[in-house]
Amino acid sequence: MVKHPPEPYRIKMVEPIHLIDRAAREKALKSAGYNLFGLQAEEVYIDLLTDSGTGAMSQDQWAAIMRGDESYAGARSFQRFSKAITEIFGFEHFVPTHQGRAAENILCSMLVKPGQFVPSNMHFDTTQANILARGGRPTNLVIDEARDPANRHLFKGNMDIDKLRNFIDRVGKENVPLGMITITNNAGGGQPVSMENLKAVSALYKEYGIPFFIDACRFAENAYFIKQRETGFENQTPLEIARQFFSLADGATMSAKKDAIVNIGGFLAMNDENLFRKACNELILREGFPTYGGLAGRDLDAIAVGLWEGLDEEYLAYRLSQTSYLANSLLEHGIPVIEPPGGHAVYLNAGLFLSHIPSEQFPGQALSIEIYREGGIRAIELGSVSLSYPDPISGKMVYPDLELVRLALPRRVYTQSHLDYVIEAVARIAGRKSEIRGYGFEYAPELLRHFTARFKPL
Ligand SMILES: Cc1ncc(COP(=O)(O)O)c(C=O)c1O
């Protein structure tokens, strides 16, 4: 067995990338307001901002795009999309959406009323914002081990079942219009949820009559972690495992930009027919007719193929090993990361690495800026900039437990030598970390502020 499985593909088309010099990087940072979302693509050398919509499509997906049927209603592309979703996810109904947050928006518009609570292991930023936008209160009930970056619990995305029961009892089940779980848990390190935990969460929501929705963006990576780490699943395929966990839920939101390896797309799935009727009406209002829902026919075809490719075992073995190669190499250089490595990204523990910078001065933002400055590498802050928000009732700021910087790995895009470049750049920063200063806001919007905020060095 080789230590790290090589890429299970060879390169047929290339996209040139170029490193601009240090002075140009400094200028780019200033004009972006020290917000890496404000950089132009040509100013970035290795782009690890997100794994969402940034994957490389395969020859079969590009071929499928040419088959796209752009009929407004009942397109053949929709039939192929439906077949893949039915065979993999098994829900009775679904509507395509242009991406994951559109599915979240439709779901929240139908179910969440002001003052109500939506528990999850951890909501991702767009889910959190969609709940808040309806006056709801997102609540994170992940296990305590997830809050300790060095704890090597194998399923750090698990929900704390006791906390969930106590929470529902305290706020009243009538104030919980739906319950969710994110697989893998992006905001908490791309950590998986075990089948055992998914069963327990599902049983609890059923007991209280609360609809259970899975945020399924990275379902295939989660299924492969279950195969690797949970007793009894060693001999099952990721597909068999995925079908089992989806059978435990009442529905799912999906951003196809992750495990379906496409550049745009998503869907909202559910078993409840009344909810589906409402979803179709919302969809027509916001996205489009229920057989295309904000996408072109060719996008539906690319998803139909990509969903199967995302479940391929050889691909998943390589994918998760790429992440662990990056994480373990950084650890060897003394850079603290969330352990064990997650699925789609490596999360640097900026709070610990830059412990001289307090949360109000955004250590994660400071570290991500420094990584760009050093190597033209773009990462994202997942800490007090992107995940803190004012509680809708008390107005008090709610802060995340960890100050992180995420290095997300686009699917099938970068090779091991790109990762070696990243490792060397971050290791160089470690030698001068005490010189790094914090940042303050120059401008910040109310919701999802990390996308458009501007910062000033302190
Ligand atoms: C866990 C999770 N849920 C939802 C979303 C939203 O998906 P989209 O970006 O397609 O709107 C993301 C995107 O990164 C995510 O990681």
Side-chain angles (χ1 to χ4, degrees):
M1 256 295 267
V2 286
K3 196 165 168 210
H4 297 287
E7 288 76 7
Y9 51 81
R10 57 185 180 177
I11 297 164
K12 174 141 62 180
M13 188 187 282
V14 296
E15 184 181 358
I17 52 174
H18 170 68
L19 177 64
I20 59 171
D21 66 25
R22 192 171 275 266
R25 297 202 291 276
E26 201 55 55
K27 197 165 154 231
L29 275 174
K30 267 206 187 89
S31 71
Y34 296 95
N35 183 339
L36 304 184
F37 279 99
L39 293 174
Q40 302 305 307
E42 60 269 27
E43 293 164 344
V44 179
Y45 183 43
I46 308 280
D47 205 344
L48 307 184
L49 183 70
T50 177
D51 64 320
S52 177
T54 52
M57 290 208 293
S58 67
Q59 56 185 4
D60 288 346
Q61 285 177 293
W62 284 110
I65 283 214
M66 297 308 291
R67 277 199 304 272
D69 174 356
E70 305 304 339
S71 303
Y72 190 96
R76 292 174 195 86
S77 299
F78 180 71
Q79 291 157 21
R80 292 188 279 266
F81 173 82
S82 300
K83 186 166 181 291
I85 294 184
T86 306
E87 286 178 11
I88 297 169
F89 294 78
F91 294 111
E92 299 281 329
H93 311 285
F94 45 84
V95 290
T97 58
H98 78 274
Q99 58 184 89
R101 70 198 67 184
E104 293 162 3
N105 178 27
I106 291 170
L107 185 65
C108 292
S109 75
M110 296 188 296
L111 295 180
V112 180
K113 305 257 171 334
Q116 290 188 322
F117 297 86
V118 183
S120 184
N121 48 355
M122 285 175 87
H123 292 286
F124 194 59
D125 60 5
T126 56
T127 329
Q128 175 177 292
N130 267 303
I131 295 165
L132 288 168
R134 302 279 161 191
R137 304 174 80 182
T139 309
N140 295 336
L141 300 172
V142 73
I143 54 170
D144 288 339
E145 288 86 339
R147 302 185 200 280
D148 172 6
N151 188 309
R152 291 190 69 92
H153 190 291
L154 293 180
F155 289 101
K156 272 169 109 173
N158 280 359
M159 185 100 95
D160 186 318
I161 303 296
D162 291 336
K163 275 194 215 161
L164 179 61
R165 180 180 290 284
N166 292 339
F167 178 78
I168 301 172
D169 287 340
R170 183 163 59 77
V171 302
K173 64 179 181 190
E174 63 288 358
N175 292 317
V176 183
L178 78 155
M180 295 190 75
I181 200 159
T182 314
I183 60 169
T184 57
N185 182 19
N186 188 1
Q191 299 291 323
V193 179
S194 69
M195 186 72 82
E196 187 190 19
N197 192 253
L198 283 157
K199 280 186 184 156
V201 169
S202 163
L204 195 68
Y205 284 138
K206 261 201 191 76
E207 182 187 327
Y208 286 94
I210 295 169
F212 171 31
F213 278 74
I214 295 180
D215 178 339
C217 301
R218 300 180 180 83
F219 76 97
E221 291 171 6
N222 202 93
Y224 198 70
F225 275 122
I226 290 177
K227 179 181 172 78
Q228 283 182 321
R229 297 182 181 176
E230 195 165 348
T231 315
F233 294 92
E234 308 77 357
N235 299 320
Q236 297 194 25
T237 64
L239 173 64
E240 286 164 342
I241 295 170
R243 280 182 179 149
Q244 284 169 66
F245 57 63
F246 287 125
S247 75
L248 300 167
D250 299 299
T253 56
M254 172 81 187
S255 168
K257 297 167 74 174
K258 284 83 171 173
D259 274 357
I261 326 180
V262 290
N263 306 121
I264 196 74
F267 58 86
L268 170 63
M270 71 221 77
N271 288 328
D272 183 325
E273 194 170 349
N274 284 331
L275 200 63
F276 171 61
R277 292 216 177 95
K278 279 193 208 154
C280 287
N281 291 335
E282 283 291 326
L283 193 82
I284 290 168
L285 196 62
R286 297 170 204 284
E287 292 279 297
F289 190 72
T291 62
Y292 72 85
L295 293 171
R298 54 180 170 269
D299 298 324
L300 299 173
D301 266 309
I303 295 172
V305 176
L307 281 169
W308 291 110
E309 291 183 359
L311 280 165
D312 180 82
E313 282 203 47
E314 211 179 332
Y315 155 75
L316 284 167
Y318 140 78
R319 166 104 182 127
L320 299 189
S321 130
Q322 206 184 29
T323 317
S324 64
Y325 173 73
L326 178 57
N328 292 333
S329 307
L330 288 170
L331 276 171
E332 280 165 21
H333 284 89
I335 322 280
V337 304
I338 292 196
E339 297 176 63
H344 66 291
V346 173
Y347 293 67
L348 311 182
N349 184 353
L352 179 62
F353 187 63
L354 300 181
S355 53
H356 58 288
I357 303 181
S359 277
E360 315 80 74
Q361 296 180 10
F362 309 138
Q365 189 65 20
L367 181 56
S368 58
I369 290 168
E370 211 52 38
I371 292 172
Y372 174 74
R373 188 174 268 140
E374 182 63 39
I377 301 154
R378 176 154 66 171
I380 189 176
E381 188 262 12
L382 285 180
S384 287
V385 174
S386 51
L387 294 169
S388 63
Y389 61 90
D391 181 89
I393 307 287
S394 68
K396 263 178 49 186
M397 282 305 280
V398 182
Y399 285 98
D401 296 312
L402 299 173
E403 298 291 345
L404 304 173
V405 168
R406 186 187 72 179
L407 302 171
L409 296 177
R411 292 167 181 77
R412 309 189 288 210
V413 171
Y414 293 116
T415 62
Q416 189 157 331
S417 45
H418 290 120
L419 299 190
D420 286 336
Y421 173 86
V422 173
I423 294 156
E424 285 164 23
V426 179
R428 281 197 300 275
I429 296 172
R432 57 175 170 77
K433 63 179 186 166
S434 60
E435 295 161 20
I436 300 173
R437 295 273 160 278
Y439 284 77
F441 280 128
E442 198 177 78
Y443 156 76
E446 207 177 310
L447 279 179
L448 292 174
R449 51 195 195 169
H450 50 298
F451 288 116
T452 53
R454 291 183 72 83
F455 300 87
K456 50 178 191 284
L458 297 173

